[in-house]
Amino acid sequence: MTLAFMEDLNPVVQALLATLFTWGITALGAAGVFLKRELNRRLLDGMLGFASGVMIAASFFSLLKPAIEMSHDMGVPGWLPAVIGFLLGGAFLYLVDRLLPHLHIGMAMNSAEGLKTSWQRSVLLVLAITLHNFPEGLAVGVAFGAAAAGIQEATLAGAVALAVGIGLQNFPEGLAVSAPLRREGISRWKSFFLGQLSGIVEPLAGIIGALAVFMVRPLLPYALAFAAGAMIYVCVEELIPEGHSGGHSDVVTIGVMLGFALMMMLDVALG
């Protein structure tokens, strides 16, 4: 996925290819179930922390910071679109979290969140990770749409850096779905299928994000901040608490620091 190749493509196609890449990394992580049935809980906690660190850094460097800079150019207070979009993103994920039936890793069926349902445990586990992946795909799509719109603060290199960062943190998420399913006695192939399925929402969200900001340019800073708010909500509400529930808070913290540092490096170096 070189910049020269991406530059000649329609922004929606750019977003689609980038999110297909992030989905592919999810599938690669889910394929880990073919190597090992049991996933070390300490390793899982570190992976969840790493994913959180990547998402937190991406939320600021790739989304909120450009949104604030764009707002100044549009003649509105720099903080206004960022605050409104950020809070709307969190509110949207709050509503989805309350309505969409899902189950977090290691939890009993009676701890399932969202509307009550008779769906199988495996489906609820997949939906929990799918809830994480939607704002990630949306963020990638918005970034490519912003770059195509000719916004000085948003670059194609920065959008690619965001896609790479999201892809890296999708690896542990794919494994975090497939490994628990395999441990519960589900076949390797079905565990893999369900694990990669959690990332299928990202290409759809990426297309929606790219189309929205490319067609309605004045909404761009709001869209960037919206994606940031949604990702921060996922980190605080889901990923970090899940990591701490395993009893390895130090590993989670180290994972967050490493993930943040890597995403910051990618954004600054490539963006």
Side-chain angles (χ1 to χ4, degrees), residues 228-249:
M231 292 210 298
I232 291 296
Y233 183 92
V234 167
C235 290
V236 177
E237 172 69 13
E238 311 285 358
L239 296 182
I240 293 177
E242 284 177 20
H244 281 285
S245 67
H248 304 109
S249 60

Side-chain angles (χ1 to χ4, degrees), residues 15-240:
L16 175 61
L17 290 177
T19 47
L20 285 174
F21 164 76
T22 61
W23 177 23
I25 300 299
T26 303
L28 187 62
V33 75
F34 292 108
L35 302 177
K36 194 172 183 180
R37 178 168 180 165
E38 292 289 337
L39 178 62
N40 182 277
R41 181 65 208 211
R42 189 179 183 89
L43 176 61
L44 174 60
D45 292 344
M47 288 179 170
L48 292 172
F50 177 84
S52 299
V54 169
M55 292 175 70
I56 292 170
S59 296
F60 176 73
F61 290 101
S62 298
L63 300 172
L64 282 175
K65 187 172 178 287
I68 294 170
E69 293 172 348
M70 288 175 204
S71 300
H72 289 301
D73 297 337
M74 295 170 61
V76 298
W79 56 268
L80 186 62
V83 169
I84 292 176
F86 185 82
L87 293 179
L88 286 177
F92 173 75
L93 257 291
Y94 174 82
L95 291 176
V96 173
D97 192 49
R98 291 295 174 267
L99 296 175
L100 181 69
H102 61 284
L103 180 67
H104 298 297
I105 301 165
M107 304 297 288
M109 279 295 290
N110 58 11
S111 299
E113 299 179 8
L115 298 176
K116 298 302 180 183
T117 178
S118 59
W119 293 348
Q120 294 181 348
R121 177 181 176 86
S122 58
V123 175
L124 294 176
L125 283 169
V126 171
L127 286 177
I129 301 298
T130 302
L131 181 62
H132 302 173
N133 287 339
F134 181 83
E136 297 167 10
L138 184 66
V140 173
V142 168
F144 278 98
I151 305 298
Q152 182 178 358
E153 296 83 0
T155 65
L156 180 60
V160 170
L162 177 62
V164 171
I166 295 297
L168 289 175
Q169 65 92 39
N170 273 358
F171 182 86
E173 287 192 352
L175 184 58
V177 176
S178 62
L181 294 177
R182 176 59 182 156
R183 187 170 59 247
E184 293 177 8
I186 296 176
S187 70
R188 283 189 172 89
W189 277 106
K190 186 175 182 179
S191 298
F192 165 73
F193 175 76
L194 292 173
Q196 63 82 32
L197 192 64
S198 65
I200 199 172
V201 70
E202 291 196 5
L204 175 61
I207 292 174
I208 292 173
L211 281 173
V213 301
F214 191 62
M215 296 173 63
V216 192
R217 179 168 172 167
L219 295 180
L220 184 51
Y222 297 91
L224 288 167
F226 181 95
M231 292 210 298
I232 291 296
Y233 183 92
V234 167
C235 290
V236 177
E237 172 69 13
E238 311 285 358
L239 296 182
I240 293 177

